[in-house]
Amino acid sequence: AQSVTQLDSQVPVFEEAPVELRCNYSSSVSVYLFWYVQYPNQGLQLLLKYLSGSTLVESINGFEAEFNKSQTSFHLRKPSVHISDTAEYFCAVSTDQTGANNLFFGTGTRLTVIP
Amino acid sequence: DTGVSQNPRHKITKRGQNVTFRCDPISEHNRLYWYRQTLGQGPEFLTYFQNEAQLEKSRLLSDRFSAERPKGSFSTLEIQRTEQGDSAMYLCASSLGTATYEQYFGPGTRLTVT
């Protein structure tokens, strides 16, 4: 079975400061990794994903995440946050073990950017 | 591409009543998923359709829950004899079912059972 752990339920950070949102996963098979973002009163949006290849993946708005197989982690980072980054962030995994390729989500991290 | 839509956005019902939610996926997406999200938790998988066939159901999906996807287009999720524990956000997602595995989520239907 797969599971995802997001250790930080809330992360407050000042505007223009760096941030790291932690994600660890557990799986006995190869995984695909995702970060989704949920802005207030909006649906989940895919931020970035790791399927294969380069372990460092980037989003269009400056976020990046690195797949670390030995540490079973997929931490999300941004060197300088903006007020508009305030949202809930969910880490998720998927595998080919089930035909559904359904997502297993962590409990989320609420990022609050302080002016 | 208008995205995944869900109706209604909010539903308040009394315990014991039946409710039905609708999801319209992105056109041409052959896969459709239902998830449930409770307060302080991440979404949890409920069930999955490949075209019109319901291929997988989570153990979370009790006998009071039923989902359909007639003609492989929109989907409905019905909850019979609602209980207070059914209060949650019900999310629908769709995907092309290709190797990209990217699922597109709708805004959700928030159910409150009183």
Side-chain angles (χ1 to χ4, degrees):
Chain A
Q2 291 75 37
S3 66
V4 177
T5 302
Q6 292 182 250
L7 290 171
D8 306 304
S9 60
Q10 296 188 60
V11 173
V13 63
F14 286 104
E15 192 175 12
E16 297 184 4
V19 70
E20 179 179 79
L21 307 183
R22 296 179 293 170
C23 172
N24 289 88
Y25 68 91
S26 173
S27 176
S28 58
V29 299
S30 296
V31 296
Y32 307 102
L33 296 156
F34 307 81
W35 275 99
Y36 279 83
V37 58
Q38 188 170 34
Y39 298 105
N41 299 315
Q42 294 187 30
L44 288 162
Q45 300 174 32
L46 181 66
L47 189 60
L48 47 75
K49 63 186 178 186
Y50 170 78
L51 302 180
S52 65
S54 173
T55 56
L56 184 65
V57 291
E58 299 177 350
S59 72
I60 58 173
N61 57 353
F63 282 94
E64 65 178 30
E66 186 162 18
F67 169 52
N68 188 319
K69 188 174 181 179
S70 63
Q71 297 186 3
T72 60
S73 67
F74 191 55
H75 301 330
L76 181 69
R77 295 187 293 263
K78 189 170 185 180
S80 175
V81 295
H82 302 283
I83 295 292
S84 60
D85 292 325
T86 293
E88 186 102 25
Y89 292 79
F90 292 94
C91 182
V93 303
S94 176
T95 75
D96 285 328
Q97 193 172 36
T98 69
N101 299 118
N102 53 286
L103 295 164
F104 296 86
F105 285 88
T107 52
T109 297
R110 181 169 297 278
L111 173 65
T112 302
V113 180
I114 305 164
Chain B
D1 180 356
T2 57
V4 178
S5 61
Q6 292 186 247
N7 288 288
R9 294 291 305 276
H10 304 273
K11 179 70 176 179
I12 300 174
T13 190
K14 291 184 177 180
R15 187 178 56 180
Q17 297 295 305
N18 299 343
V19 294
T20 300
F21 311 140
R22 176 178 171 128
C23 170
D24 287 90
I26 294 172
S27 56
E28 296 124 29
H29 278 193
N30 58 346
R31 292 189 174 196
L32 188 145
Y33 301 81
W34 285 99
Y35 291 84
R36 181 174 67 187
Q37 185 177 16
T38 54
L39 201 61
Q41 300 297 317
E44 295 173 293
F45 169 72
L46 292 178
T47 190
Y48 150 71
F49 289 85
Q50 173 94 20
N51 299 313
E52 68 275 9
Q54 187 175 19
L55 297 183
E56 199 162 320
K57 293 193 289 187
S58 160
R59 280 171 288 183
L60 292 175
L61 212 65
S62 77
D63 292 343
R64 296 184 296 105
F65 287 70
S66 63
E68 296 181 342
R69 192 183 182 197
K71 302 178 183 179
S73 56
F74 70 92
S75 175
T76 58
L77 178 67
E78 181 183 16
I79 309 174
Q80 296 182 326
R81 305 181 302 282
T82 52
E83 302 173 356
Q84 287 189 322
D86 296 331
S87 295
M89 178 76 85
Y90 290 85
L91 300 170
C92 176
S94 69
S95 77
L96 275 173
T98 67
T100 61
Y101 301 101
E102 181 168 347
Q103 294 182 24
Y104 294 82
F105 282 82
T109 295
R110 182 169 295 284
L111 172 66
T112 302
V113 182
T114 62

